[in-house]
Amino acid sequence: MINDEALKKQYYEALLARNSSYDGIFFAGIKTTGVFCHATCPARKPKYENCNFYATAEEALLAGFRPCKRCHPMSYPKEISPLVHQMIQLVEENPEKRWKDADFSKLGLHAATARRQFKKFYGMTFVQYARARRMGIAMKSIRTGEKIINAQIDVGYDSSSGFHDAFSKIMGKAPTKSKSVKMLYANWIDTKLGPMVSIVDDDYLYLLEFVDRRGLEREIERLRNKLNASIIPGVNKISKQIEEEITNYFTKKLTTFKTPIILLGSEFQKTVWNELLEIELGKTTSYKELATLINNPRSVRAIGNANGANQLAIIVPCHRVIQSNGDLGGYGGGLERKNWLLNHEKTYNNLLSNKPN
C-alpha cells in the first residue's frame, strides 16, 4: 500500500478527474465497497479517507479488494483476449479454488497457452492472480480486524456458508468448544516493504511474513495443522508487541526483538535458525560459513532449504545469509526486499556505531 501522503493526494485528484495518464500507475482500493479501480473508473467517487492506493493489482487483491465491475481494472491497458477474460471470470465465480493444469484441460484450455497469455497482460501468472484473490478473502478481515461473518459481503460472497468455506480453506474452520483446538490470532502490519501478517497465541509469535510471499498459504496451513489450530482475526499483547517492534525496526529505533517466539521445524532447521539469530545487525554470513558453524560443511543446500522454511521473517534473519562470492542468493520475500533489508541494516548499524556513549 502506498503511504506517502503527498502521492496519495495526487492519485486521489487523478481519480476524481478520471485522468487517463494515471491508468496503470496506481490502483485505488475503495474501503466502503471492497473493490479496486483504475484512475478512469466512471463510478461515483469515494471520499479520500475511504481510499487506499496500490502500485499493482496484486497488492490490491492481497489486501482483500476485488476487481471493480464498472471499470474492469484487470483489463487495463488494453482489451484482454476472450481466453484471459474467461480465466478472470472463472476465478470470480470460485475465488477459493486452487487451479491445476488438469482444470484447464477439463475446460478445453491449453494450460501453457493460458499461463503465457495471462502473464503477458498482467505481469503475474494466473496462479499468482488466483492465489492473490484467494488470500485476499482471508486477509480482508485480518487487515480490518473485522469478525469473519461481517466481512463476507466485502469480498464478494452472497452467503455466509460460501465465505466461511473459502476462509476456512486457508485459516481453518471456525473454532469450537473443543479444548483440543488451539486458538491463534492473525494481525495485519503495514511496513515500508509491504504488508506483513503475524500469527500469535497468548504467549508466543509463530509466524511473521510478507503477505505476498509465494508460499505463505502453505505455511499457514502447515502451522495450523501442526498445532491443530484455528486462526481468526484478532489482536492481543503479543501481536501488539511485534507490530510495535517491527515499526521501530523500520524506523531504526530497535536493535533487538524481544517478542517471545516459537520455532516449529525439524531439529536441523531449528539448529540453522538458532544460528541465524546469532548474526549481528548489519552483518552477513555465507551459506558455506553457516554450514561450518553448525559442524556440517556439506549441508549448504540444506541450509538454503531451512532458510526458505523460516516462518519468522526479519526476526530470524535469513536475509543476512548470502553467497560466498557476495551475490545475494535466494530469499522467500524477494531479492529486492533482501537487498533493501541489508542496506537498511548496514546504515542502521553505522548510525548506532556513531552514537555517543
Side-chain angles (χ1 to χ4, degrees), residues 211-227:
V211 169
D212 63 357
R213 178 181 170 132
R214 179 176 294 180
L216 178 58
E217 189 174 355
R218 297 293 186 186
E219 283 186 34
I220 292 172
E221 288 182 348
R222 284 194 294 269
L223 174 63
R224 63 178 177 79
N225 288 336
K226 185 173 291 187
L227 299 175

Side-chain angles (χ1 to χ4, degrees), residues 4 22 34 37 41 99 171 184 196 203 219 267 348:
D4 182 275
Y22 283 84
C37 311
C41 182
W99 288 84
M171 295 298 179
L184 299 176
M196 303 184 79
D203 301 301
E219 283 186 34
E267 289 306 310
Y348 195 157

